[in-house]
Amino acid sequence: MTTLTTAPLAPLLDRMFAEAEAPASPQVRAALAQLTPEERRRLSASTDEADYRTFYGLAREDYLAVSRDTARLLYMLVRAAGARSIVEFGTSFGISTLHLAAGLRDNGGGRIITTEFEPSKAARARENFTAGGLADLIELREGDALQTLARDLPGRIDLVLLDGAKGLYPPVLALLEEHLKPGALIVADNADRSPDYLRRVRSAADGYTSVPFAEDVELSMRTG
C-alpha cells in the first residue's frame, strides 16, 4: 500500500481523472472553438506572453492533465530517485502535483514548488491538495513562472516537471539549471511542441542525456 493507492488520495485521483477524461463542458468547447487546431498549437507553444495567456485563459476550465501512465511514472521516478526537492511548471488542477507529492510522502517528506498563472485553477488546485492530504508538501506560487521561479529556489533540485506553456520550456529550464543536482531528472510533457527545448536537452555538450517516450514526453537527466 502506498499514499497513491490509499484514501484520501486514491479516490480523489479517480474522480479527477474521470473529470479530465470526460467530454469538455459546453463552456470549454465554446471557448476553444474560437481557435483552430493550428491556432491552439501555436498559442500554447508561443513565447509571447499575450499568446500563452490567451490560450490558457480560454482553457481555464480544461484539465490539460498528464495521462494516467505519465502520472504514475512521475510517482515512480520520485520514489526511485529518492527525490526530496521538486519543481513543477504548470499546476493546472493538480493531478501531476499530487502524484509527485505522493512520491515525496512515501520517500519520507520533502517539498514541491509548483506554479500556475490562472487564478481559478490555482484555487481549485489548493483545494485538491488539502483534500488529498498532501498540502503540507506543496508550495503553489501563483503567477507567471518566469517571475515565480526566478527567486527563492532550493540549492538542490532532484526532479523537474515541465507541463505549462510549451514555448517557455527553454527559459524555465534556464532559471532552474544552476540548481539542478548532477543526475537530476527533467520530465517534459508535450515536448514535441518545443523544438528549442528538445535541441537543448538532446545535446550532450549542454550537459544532458535525454530520451523520448510515450509519443510526446521527454525524459532528460542533468549530467553536467
Side-chain angles (χ1 to χ4, degrees):
M1 305 293 283
T2 68
T3 299
L4 201 60
T5 59
T6 54
L9 184 58
L12 172 65
L13 287 173
D14 284 342
R15 174 180 63 78
M16 293 177 71
F17 272 121
E19 291 173 355
E21 293 162 1
S25 70
Q27 293 85 353
V28 171
R29 290 199 300 271
L32 295 180
Q34 300 176 40
L35 305 174
T36 67
E38 180 56 34
E39 285 174 328
R40 289 186 64 180
R41 186 178 182 90
R42 180 185 65 79
L43 290 176
S44 68
S46 175
T47 58
D48 184 273
E49 182 178 354
D51 283 346
Y52 61 76
R53 282 191 176 277
T54 296
F55 174 77
Y56 286 99
L58 290 172
R60 60 183 174 274
E61 296 297 325
D62 194 341
Y63 265 79
L64 301 175
V66 297
S67 69
R68 289 178 185 261
D69 287 345
T70 299
R72 191 164 293 271
L73 176 67
L74 292 172
Y75 172 83
M76 294 167 62
L77 290 174
V78 174
R79 295 300 313 278
R84 294 299 184 110
S85 179
I86 299 172
V87 173
E88 177 185 40
F89 165 46
T91 314
S92 192
F93 296 124
I95 284 180
S96 53
T97 321
L98 288 167
H99 281 78
L100 295 167
L104 287 183
R105 179 75 81 211
D106 294 340
N107 280 350
R111 180 173 69 139
I112 301 173
I113 297 172
T114 185
T115 185
E116 173 61 48
F117 64 67
E118 174 53 48
S120 62
K121 282 192 167 184
R124 287 181 59 182
R126 289 189 177 96
E127 294 173 358
N128 291 329
F129 300 157
T130 298
L134 296 169
D136 59 305
L137 301 173
I138 303 167
E139 177 189 345
L140 196 164
R141 299 181 180 181
E142 189 175 328
D144 191 310
L146 296 182
Q147 299 174 14
T148 62
L149 297 180
R151 57 177 175 78
D152 302 329
L153 293 175
R156 167 190 168 115
I157 296 173
D158 301 311
L159 188 145
V160 172
L161 172 62
L162 301 176
D163 194 22
K166 314 313 169 192
L168 297 188
Y169 284 7
V172 168
L173 179 63
L175 289 176
L176 306 178
E177 204 161 51
E178 67 178 282
H179 301 271
L180 298 175
K181 74 165 190 178
L185 299 174
I186 306 100
V187 181
D189 199 35
N190 306 123
D192 58 320
R193 301 182 196 174
S194 184
D196 289 343
Y197 173 80
L198 290 180
R199 279 192 290 271
R200 181 167 184 78
V201 296
R202 290 177 180 176
S203 169
D206 286 330
Y208 293 95
T209 297
S210 196
V211 62
F213 68 95
E215 296 185 0
D216 61 356
V217 179
E218 186 84 5
L219 175 62
S220 309
M221 183 179 72
R222 181 64 167 162
T223 57

